[in-house]
Amino acid sequence: MKILPIPEIHIGENTLAVLPAFLQRINCQRILAVTDTGVMKAGIYEQLSDVLKQSKQQVILFDQVEPDPSIALVGKVVDVARKNKIEAVVGIGGGSSIDVAKIAAAMARNEGPIEKYLGTDLLDKDSLKIVAIPTTAGTGSEVTPIAILSDIQEKVKKGLVSNRIIPSIAILDPRLTVSLPPNVTAVTEWTRSFMV
């Protein structure tokens, strides 16, 4: 039987406030925030930025995650992480943003093309520290060893499965979901009901 590591999980209003202390505790100063334009427009990233302004972390932003993210898109995030010598990756948003953050954190330390690691237990080295902050319910990506990408050329979705991409911490702050459109909330909750 395989035992999965469990992230440090914080649930409740204003739990976003635990992030600076966590980053200080694991000695990470250079942070990459990975998100999408919807999170930016909703003002959710601004809440994260405000929390981190109180600490000494330097935050680089990548806000171009798309639904069903492609291998090429993750490659761009990896380039940003390596260029800026990132120490921790924060995925804030839905499953796509969190999955991109997880794979980018892995690829920042594992050499070669992303395609080499798509499959199960193929990573050679540990990932950068991963922080998952979901703004929807339903994917569970904030606590799983799985991340999914779209292979545009082969027109198929592929997964990277490894304990090395389980986030170090998951922050579930319900305040970050209130700007979600009602229909998206309904669909993600409906989807989650099948996973229980």
Side-chain angles (χ1 to χ4, degrees):
M1 182 171 77
K2 195 172 189 179
I3 299 176
L4 299 177
I6 299 173
E8 181 177 319
I9 301 173
H10 296 266
I11 304 172
E13 283 193 41
N14 301 311
T15 49
L16 189 59
V18 306
L19 182 56
F22 173 79
L23 293 171
Q24 288 171 355
R25 177 162 34 101
I26 62 173
N27 197 29
C28 289
Q29 302 299 320
R30 301 177 66 82
I31 314 303
L32 175 62
V34 177
T35 193
D36 60 58
T37 54
V39 168
M40 298 299 293
K41 289 176 184 175
I44 295 171
Y45 173 75
E46 191 174 329
Q47 295 179 54
L48 173 68
S49 180
D50 287 346
V51 165
L52 291 177
K53 279 178 186 173
Q54 302 167 22
S55 60
K56 296 179 181 178
Q57 282 85 21
Q58 178 184 355
V59 183
I60 306 296
L61 173 64
F62 184 94
D63 63 356
Q64 300 302 309
V65 175
E66 302 164 349
D68 302 315
S70 67
I71 293 170
L73 181 121
V74 176
K76 293 179 183 178
V77 183
V78 173
D79 289 343
V80 172
R82 290 177 176 166
K83 178 182 175 183
N84 291 280
K85 297 180 180 177
I86 294 300
E87 297 169 316
V89 182
V90 177
I92 180 166
S96 293
S97 292
I98 294 174
D99 281 1
V100 169
K102 287 159 70 171
I103 297 181
M107 293 308 305
R109 284 192 170 162
N110 288 271
E111 297 179 5
I114 295 170
E115 291 87 345
K116 174 182 174 183
Y117 301 101
L118 296 176
T120 302
D121 293 330
L122 300 177
L123 294 173
D124 300 317
K125 299 177 182 176
D126 287 341
S127 303
L128 298 175
K129 295 296 183 181
I130 303 168
V131 177
I133 306 174
T135 60
T136 65
T139 72
S141 186
E142 68 273 12
V143 294
T144 66
I146 302 167
I148 304 295
L149 293 179
S150 293
D151 186 324
I152 303 300
Q153 291 183 335
E154 296 187 17
K155 298 181 180 177
V156 67
K157 289 189 177 185
K158 296 181 178 180
L160 189 159
V161 183
S162 172
N163 286 356
R164 297 178 190 267
I165 64 167
I166 295 177
S168 299
I169 182 173
I171 299 173
L172 290 80
D173 189 330
R175 296 178 312 130
L176 305 181
T177 68
V178 294
S179 61
L180 200 63
N183 63 320
V184 177
T185 298
V187 169
T188 54
E189 283 298 320
W190 180 77
T191 302
R192 186 177 64 82
S193 69
F194 287 95
M195 300 170 68
V196 175

